[in-house]
Structure formats: C-alpha cells, structure tokens
C-alpha cells in the first residue's frame, strides 16, 4: 500500500507524477498549484521526481486554501 | 499616516485580512478589495474531495496586488508547524509565515513553548515569522529577541467576536513597543470600533477574518474596518487630549448673560 493524503491506496508501481496529476484532475485542482511531500521531502510545483511509488511511500498533495 | 513596515516591507494598510469562511470567491475578492488590505492569509491543506475553498484559490487571488501570507493553522506542535511553514514557502514562493501552534480546540489558544521553539528554527531557516500568541508581553519580548518580524497577540479567541477582551495586556504591549517588532492584534474582533480601539491604544495593525467574512454584508463590513483602522491610526498619531477626573467646560465660564447665583460667603 501507498499512503496518499492519509488514505491507503494500491498505487505501487505507478509513477508519482501520474498519481499527483490524477488526484489533481479528480479534484479539479491545477497541478501547478500543488506541492508534494514524499516521505517528508518537499517537491515544488510541477517538479516531481521521476520516481515509481513503492510500498510504504507516504505522499501528501497539498495546496493553498482559504484561511485566517 | 505613517506606513507600516514589516521585515523591511512597506505596507500602506494597517489592516491584514484572512480569506477564510467566505461563501464564495467572488464575495471574498470583493471584500478583500473593499478592505484595502495588502496582506492576506491563507492555509495549507490536502487536495481532497469535499474540501471547500481549495479549488482555484490560487487563481482567485491577485498575486500582484496581495502579499499572500500562509499560516500554519492545524499545527499542534512545533514540528507540525515547521512542516506546514515549509510547505507554505514551497506553495507561495515567499518566506513569510504566520506561525500558529494550537493544541486546544475549544479556545484555539496558542502554545507559547511550541511557538517559541518553532519560531527559533524558522528564523534560522530564513523565514519572516509572524507568530500568533496569547497577549503575554514576556513571550513577545522573547520572540522579538529571536528575530520575529511581528508579534500577533490575540484580542479574544479566534472567531469568537468577543472584541478587545485583552485590552489591559495589549496596553502593556503598547508601552513596551520600543522593544518589540510591529504589534498586530489578531483574532476575536467583531466591530470596526474594536479595531480602531486596538490601533488607538498603540497596536501597529490588526488582522481580521471572521468579523468580515461572517458579517451580513462582508463587503460593507470590510470597508468599515478599513475606515476604522485608518481612523484609529490617525487618532493615535494625532495624540489624545489629557484625561481629567472631573469635567472641564467647553464654553467660557465667565460672561454668561443670565442672572448668576449668589456666590457663597
């Protein structure tokens, strides 16, 4: 299992970039507006490492939201 | 009016505003415009289903016009705040961060020890740190010595609308302003008069979110806060009259064309 935004997903073997773009497409968010945290390492907008997801990877895909 | 300077950045408006709790982006944009604010706060959250307010916030804000200030809301410890601050920097390209470390969900009171630890590391990492704190002047001095860009004492709990509940402590902040970075009173305000009051007593700026976003007419309320903050600052610079224990007539006491009561012997 791979953990994506706190949920266990069967994404082993998939490309990180494709996974991020799929999540963004699904949620209607511009991939240029997100940052990825892969196992505590930050990857800036649109500059994901060319990497295949493996079991135990923890991915957070975050963006700016309304807040005070 | 004198400009507000935070970390060398000149700001003409002393009203900072949050982007939370608006019904939609159109209303938010109109309220931001009416507020005249130059600094607007945002939060950092996961991209996920049913999360309101994340689709298109980046596009909804005019990045040429506003300095976008990411917060660390949601962090309960210094470590969590560091993670959110670093994500905020990656998302905004800015070193500015509104540091919030809040373990208490009822009153949303910030943890002073965790806030101090997070601030120390963030300053070392080159962040411009604007820490949200309880109105504790000793903590404010400690954060100032770390090199924080502001101190942001709370007027009342976030979103409570209870107004300047901590006025007495904020007056101590104002008395110690020579040893502090800009004082930004944050949280708990309801009326523009309270924002004016905070500025009159010596705060450099106020940060307002819920009082505008949850007003019945947020755009009109944003304009009201803008005027109040400007009035408060003008009054502060003008300097108030001295306070007296008794009345002092505004009209001449002599020459009143009426029979005068006999003076007592």
């Amino acid at each position: 299992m791979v953990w994506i935004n706190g949920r266990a997903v069967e994404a082993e073997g998939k490309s990180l970039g494709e996974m991020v773009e799929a999540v963004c497409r699904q949620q209607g968010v511009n991939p240029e507006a997100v940052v990825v945290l892969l196992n505590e390492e930050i990857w800036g907008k649109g500059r994901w490492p060319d990497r295949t997801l493996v079991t135990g990877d923890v991915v957070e895909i975050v963006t700016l939201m309304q807040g005070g | 009016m004198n400009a507000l300077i935070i970390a060398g950045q000149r700001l003409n408006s002393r009203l900072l505003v949050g982007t939370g709790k608006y019904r939609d982006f159109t209303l938010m944009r109109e309220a931001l415009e009416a507020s005249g604010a130059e600094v607007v706060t945002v939060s950092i959250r996961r991209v996920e289903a049913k999360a309101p307010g994340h689709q298109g916030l980046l596009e909804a804000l005019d990045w040429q016009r506003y300095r976008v200030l990411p917060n660390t809301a949601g962090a309960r410890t210094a470590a969590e705040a560091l993670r959110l601050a670093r994500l905020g920097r990656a998302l905004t390209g800015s070193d500015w961060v509104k540091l919030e470390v809040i373990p208490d969900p009822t009153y949303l009171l910030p943890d002073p020890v965790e806030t101090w630890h997070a601030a120390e590391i963030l300053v070392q990492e080159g962040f411009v740190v604007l820490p949200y704190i309880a109105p504790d002047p000793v903590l404010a001095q400690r954060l100032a010595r770390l090199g924080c860009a502001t101190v942001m004492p709370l007027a009342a709990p976030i979103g409570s609308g209870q107004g300047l509940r901590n006025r007495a402590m904020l007056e101590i902040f104002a008395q110690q302003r020579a040893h502090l970075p800009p004082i930004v009173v944050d949280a708990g305000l309801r009326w523009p008069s309270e924002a004016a009051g905070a500025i009159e007593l010596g705060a450099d700026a106020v940060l307002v979110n819920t009082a505008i976003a949850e007003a019945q007419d947020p755009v009109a309320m944003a304009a009201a806060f803008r005027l109040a903050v400007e009035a408060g600052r003008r009054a502060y610079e003008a300097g108030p009259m001295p306070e007296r224990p008794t009345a002092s007539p505004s009209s001449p006491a002599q020459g009143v064309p009426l029979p005068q009561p006999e003076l007592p012997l």
Side-chain angles (χ1 to χ4, degrees):
Chain A
M1 285 292 181
V2 173
W3 291 90
I4 298 179
N5 281 355
R7 293 204 184 103
V9 180
E10 288 183 19
E12 295 93 334
K14 292 186 178 171
S15 135
L16 172 67
E18 283 172 18
M19 203 65 218
V20 171
E21 277 163 30
V23 169
C24 289
R25 200 163 43 244
Q26 189 187 3
Q27 304 301 334
V29 173
N30 179 356
E32 291 292 315
V34 307
V35 157
V36 171
L37 194 65
L38 171 63
N39 302 330
E40 297 300 314
E41 194 173 351
I42 295 173
W43 296 90
K45 298 175 187 173
R47 299 194 303 272
W48 333 125
D50 185 15
R51 188 179 179 289
T52 301
L53 293 169
V54 297
T55 299
D57 274 345
V58 179
V59 181
E60 297 281 355
I61 307 167
V62 303
T63 190
L64 297 181
M65 285 181 58
Q66 292 180 271
Chain B
M1 274 197 319
N2 293 339
L4 169 66
I5 301 198
I6 297 178
Q9 181 82 30
R10 182 190 169 89
L11 300 168
N12 292 311
S13 172
R14 290 173 179 271
L15 174 60
L16 291 68
V17 295
T19 59
K21 301 181 178 171
Y22 285 97
R23 286 198 300 276
D24 56 61
F25 284 150
T26 302
L27 188 61
M28 180 193 78
R29 269 196 305 265
E30 289 175 5
L32 296 188
E33 164 91 29
S35 76
E38 294 157 280
V39 176
V40 300
T41 60
V42 296
S43 64
I44 296 144
R45 290 293 181 268
R46 288 171 170 160
V47 171
E48 59 188 2
K50 295 177 189 152
H54 74 301
Q55 292 176 351
L57 177 62
L58 225 61
E59 291 86 350
L61 291 172
D62 181 349
W63 287 66
Q64 301 302 314
R65 178 165 181 180
Y66 299 112
R67 174 173 282 280
V68 177
L69 176 61
N71 66 30
T72 63
R76 295 153 296 187
T77 63
E80 291 176 355
L82 296 178
R83 172 199 269 222
L84 288 168
R86 292 164 185 154
L87 289 169
R89 175 149 73 177
L91 279 162
T92 61
S94 163
D95 292 329
W96 285 37
V97 61
K98 182 188 170 195
L99 175 60
E100 297 182 40
V101 187
I102 299 178
D104 154 40
T106 305
Y107 295 104
L108 297 176
L109 295 174
D111 182 322
V113 178
E114 295 293 310
T115 300
W116 187 89
H117 283 302
E120 183 181 38
I121 295 168
L122 290 170
V123 169
Q124 284 168 4
E125 291 184 6
F127 280 90
V128 172
V129 182
L130 292 77
Y132 173 64
I133 58 173
D136 175 349
V138 178
L139 174 63
Q141 301 266 6
R142 294 286 301 268
L143 290 165
R145 268 180 256 151
L146 286 181
C148 287
T150 64
V151 286
M152 305 182 79
L154 62 100
I158 293 171
S160 69
Q162 294 177 10
L164 276 180
R165 291 285 294 271
N166 293 316
R167 170 180 279 274
M169 297 302 280
L170 295 172
E171 285 172 351
I172 297 174
F173 271 69
Q175 287 161 17
Q176 299 184 344
R177 56 180 303 138
H179 308 289
L180 293 173
I183 302 161
V184 183
V185 171
D186 181 13
L189 302 184
R190 182 170 184 234
W191 288 102
S193 57
E194 295 156 358
I199 304 275
E200 284 168 8
L201 71 79
D204 295 281
V206 295
L207 196 159
V208 179
N209 190 158
T210 311
I212 295 174
E214 289 190 356
Q216 289 173 38
D217 183 342
V219 178
M221 189 60 90
F225 267 96
R226 174 186 193 155
L227 293 168
V229 167
E230 187 177 333
R233 181 64 191 184
R234 284 177 183 261
Y236 175 81
E237 290 181 8
M241 58 160 278
E243 195 173 331
R244 300 184 181 92
T246 58
S248 167
S250 299
S251 304
Q254 303 299 317
V256 181
L258 292 170
Q260 297 300 302
E262 287 180 19
L263 293 173
L265 293 173

